[in-house]
Amino acid sequence: MVFENRGSVALISVHGDPAVEFGCEEAGGQNVYVRRVGEELADRGWTVDMFTRQSSPDQPEIVEHQPGCRTIRLTAGPKAFINRNQLFGYLPEFLTAFRQYQADNSIIYPLVHTNYWLSAWIGLQLKQSQVTRLVHNNHSLGAVKYQSSKTIPLIARTRLEIEKKCVETSDCIIATSPQEVEHIRSLVSTNGNIEIIPCGTDTQRFQATDQQSARQKLEISQASHLILYVGRFDPRKGIETLVRAVANPQVQRHQNVNLMIVGGSRSERKDNQEKNRIEAIVKQLGLQDRVTFAGQISHEFLPDYYAASDICVVPSLYEPFGLVPIEAMACGTPVIASAVGGLKYTVIDGETGLLVPPQQDEKLASAIDHLISNPARRQTMGRAGHQRVLAHFSWKGVANQLDQLYTTQLNHLYREFFPENSAS
Ligand code: UDP
């Protein structure tokens, strides 16, 4: 396929490296989002450079994913893992490295698409100093996150200020759900331009397939009532609530109930603390024979895990969007999710799954019990979920909307800075 060159975009994701394995502490939905958006837009003729921070000396500085789509790692601070709450102080170095990269290559990116508040700070500086349109995805909002966390980090005030400034002064905020728009308007600012473009999933990869053969491949008993969790180990993900729900007599009254937990890094990082904590709870509840920790699984193999499961549970305390439920739904698996954030948008209660209040293991246990007891309902919900993803959440559809947004933004830029050329 030959495409015209549509323009150059810098996708900035300081802490979410799009070229690493997904599913570990610092590699979740944002990494997947940036990578997929980059690839899809390159397919449509955009030149996409995805800038991130180098976090290990072994990482190559440039990774070419496909023609027109690269990850470029800039040096900002030590080439080592740094928790996102400690990254702010390294942003000036990242900005200098980005500017240097532009100077070395004699380019200015006319369109900068930033991800998460750390990258927003970079985008805001660039917008002040060069001819650039700025679009931004929050991925997570401090104002919402801090409401549901027990501890507030020192950086909270800075984050809230930057998020507000970004909403008010960037050219477009991309919200991923109507719930996010509501949060921005009620908790951050009533000013600024917001457009809703959801996250997506690869509907070629995540497809509805036969449960029996998926179980054969994964050596899972056909008699099992399999409940699946996929995601990072992070207290905000609510894995403890799920484990306690599985231990509940309403669920334990069924035979062969198993919980599979997929995700987690192999290193000694912070997410291991949460993993150790969950393992201890599993042991305390006497569930060792019922719970499997499968570790990090790549997208290549994840569809079999979704297809093999009867229910996928997303028990988050807070979830800005949540890729896992749409992946599960794409595979025809019904989802039980917390009634929070973007989950209220992706999962239709009673239609593609069930919504339950967060952190209430009794209520979650009732929902699991209900779906285990009703195979026909599971099947109907699975089919409805699959259809919903095809209609609203395919990467192709999402990328088409972004393509349009980028084009509009570039047109604005040319009209603003080169009015004489755009008059014709
Ligand atoms: N993921 C993965 N392997 C794993 C665990 C998770 O590839 O072992 C992926 C998962 O498929 C999804 C992403 O990590 O695409 C998690 O995104 P989500 O938006 O659900 O949560 P986040 O990590 O952004 O909080």
Side-chain angles (χ1 to χ4, degrees):
M1 263 186 294
V2 180
F3 290 103
E4 57 174 322
N5 185 357
R6 308 282 305 283
S8 297
V9 186
L11 262 173
I12 302 184
S13 178
V14 175
H15 85 285
D17 185 331
V20 297
E21 277 182 319
F22 308 135
C24 309
E25 188 205 3
E26 289 292 299
Q30 181 175 323
N31 308 59
V32 175
Y33 177 88
V34 174
R35 172 77 173 270
R36 288 313 316 259
V37 163
E39 289 175 345
E40 288 289 341
L41 286 159
D43 282 346
R44 286 160 180 73
W46 295 87
T47 302
V48 186
D49 287 335
M50 307 184 287
F51 289 89
T52 192
R53 193 186 75 87
Q54 182 158 11
S55 62
S56 148
D58 312 327
Q59 292 172 327
E61 279 173 23
I62 296 189
V63 181
E64 174 122 18
H65 300 286
Q66 66 181 65
C69 180
R70 303 180 295 172
T71 292
I72 299 170
R73 295 190 171 109
L74 303 178
T75 301
K79 290 180 181 172
F81 171 77
I82 300 175
N83 182 281
R84 66 182 88 172
N85 284 332
Q86 263 97 51
L87 271 179
F88 186 67
Y90 299 107
L91 293 183
E93 208 179 325
F94 190 98
L95 180 64
T96 304
F98 182 86
R99 287 190 169 130
Q100 192 58 49
Y101 183 89
Q102 288 193 133
D104 290 346
N105 292 277
S106 310
I107 47 167
I108 281 180
Y109 292 92
L111 195 62
V112 170
H113 178 167
T114 52
N115 295 272
Y116 198 61
W117 71 272
L118 292 164
S119 309
W121 184 86
I122 303 283
L124 290 168
Q125 310 307 310
L126 292 172
K127 193 170 160 54
Q128 271 177 11
S129 59
Q130 66 182 46
V131 178
T132 284
R133 296 290 284 193
L134 174 62
V135 302
H136 177 71
N137 269 78
N138 287 303
H139 292 278
S140 151
L141 273 174
V144 184
K145 180 174 178 159
Y146 299 145
Q147 280 182 345
S148 65
S149 22
K150 290 191 187 114
T151 52
I152 309 286
L154 278 175
I155 200 71
R157 181 186 288 264
T158 310
R159 174 178 179 173
L160 295 174
E161 280 168 10
I162 291 171
E163 284 178 343
K164 182 168 191 296
K165 187 161 181 216
C166 189
V167 166
E168 293 180 344
T169 61
S170 70
D171 296 294
C172 183
I173 294 285
I174 301 171
T176 53
S177 67
Q179 286 74 12
E180 189 182 341
V181 178
E182 209 180 293
H183 283 144
I184 294 173
R185 288 306 184 214
S186 60
L187 300 170
V188 183
S189 176
T190 49
N191 299 321
N193 176 32
I194 307 178
E195 236 184 77
I196 299 179
I197 302 181
C199 294
T201 196
D202 182 343
T203 48
Q204 306 270 309
R205 172 162 276 162
F206 293 100
Q207 282 192 8
T209 49
D210 168 45
Q211 185 181 75
Q212 210 178 341
S213 46
R215 287 190 174 193
Q216 262 163 11
K217 263 200 231 170
L218 300 177
E219 298 180 355
I220 292 168
S221 155
Q222 301 293 346
S224 171
H225 292 300
L226 184 62
I227 302 159
L228 179 72
Y229 167 86
V230 176
R232 295 175 297 118
F233 280 87
D234 182 323
R236 120 163 134 74
K237 290 289 184 182
I239 308 175
E240 175 176 351
T241 310
L242 172 57
V243 170
R244 293 196 182 282
V246 170
N248 190 291
Q250 293 182 80
V251 175
Q252 285 300 315
R253 76 185 178 89
H254 299 278
Q255 283 187 341
N256 300 319
V257 171
N258 296 291
L259 168 63
M260 184 175 290
I261 298 182
V262 168
S265 66
R266 300 190 193 97
S267 63
E268 288 304 312
R269 288 187 185 163
K270 200 178 117 221
D271 68 338
N272 274 3
Q273 283 176 19
E274 177 64 359
K275 185 166 183 230
N276 294 341
R277 197 179 75 82
I278 298 296
E279 276 173 345
I281 296 170
V282 167
K283 216 161 152 196
Q284 194 187 44
L285 295 169
L287 286 181
Q288 296 97 312
D289 297 342
R290 301 257 155 233
V291 182
T292 312
F293 292 88
Q296 195 270 344
I297 306 285
S298 73
H299 271 195
E300 188 186 343
F301 301 108
L302 263 181
D304 284 330
Y305 287 79
Y306 287 120
S309 306
D310 293 302
I311 309 163
C312 176
V313 180
V314 187
S316 312
L317 279 58
Y318 155 57
E319 195 64 71
F321 183 82
L323 289 177
V324 165
I326 58 172
E327 290 166 4
M329 280 154 58
C331 295
T333 306
V335 175
I336 301 178
S338 302
V340 295
L343 301 176
K344 289 198 281 186
Y345 175 48
T346 49
V347 179
I348 308 280
D349 191 27
E351 225 175 88
T352 70
L354 297 171
L355 291 174
V356 293
Q359 286 183 287
Q360 297 197 22
D361 45 88
E362 282 275 336
K363 296 232 163 86
L364 179 55
S366 302
I368 294 173
D369 170 35
H370 175 74
L371 285 194
I372 289 181
S373 312
N374 287 284
R377 185 125 207 252
R378 286 204 307 269
Q379 225 176 37
T380 315
M381 286 179 161
R383 273 195 223 113
H386 178 70
Q387 289 307 326
R388 179 158 174 75
V389 172
L390 289 183
H392 301 283
F393 305 119
S394 77
W395 275 127
K396 302 255 172 257
V398 169
N400 287 341
Q401 293 176 66
L402 284 170
D403 183 329
Q404 239 170 37
L405 174 74
Y406 285 4
T407 307
T408 311
Q409 289 299 328
L410 282 191
N411 287 341
H412 282 309
L413 180 112
Y414 293 128
R415 269 203 299 275
E416 188 181 341
F417 289 96
F418 313 106
E420 63 286 0
N421 292 349
S422 33
S424 53

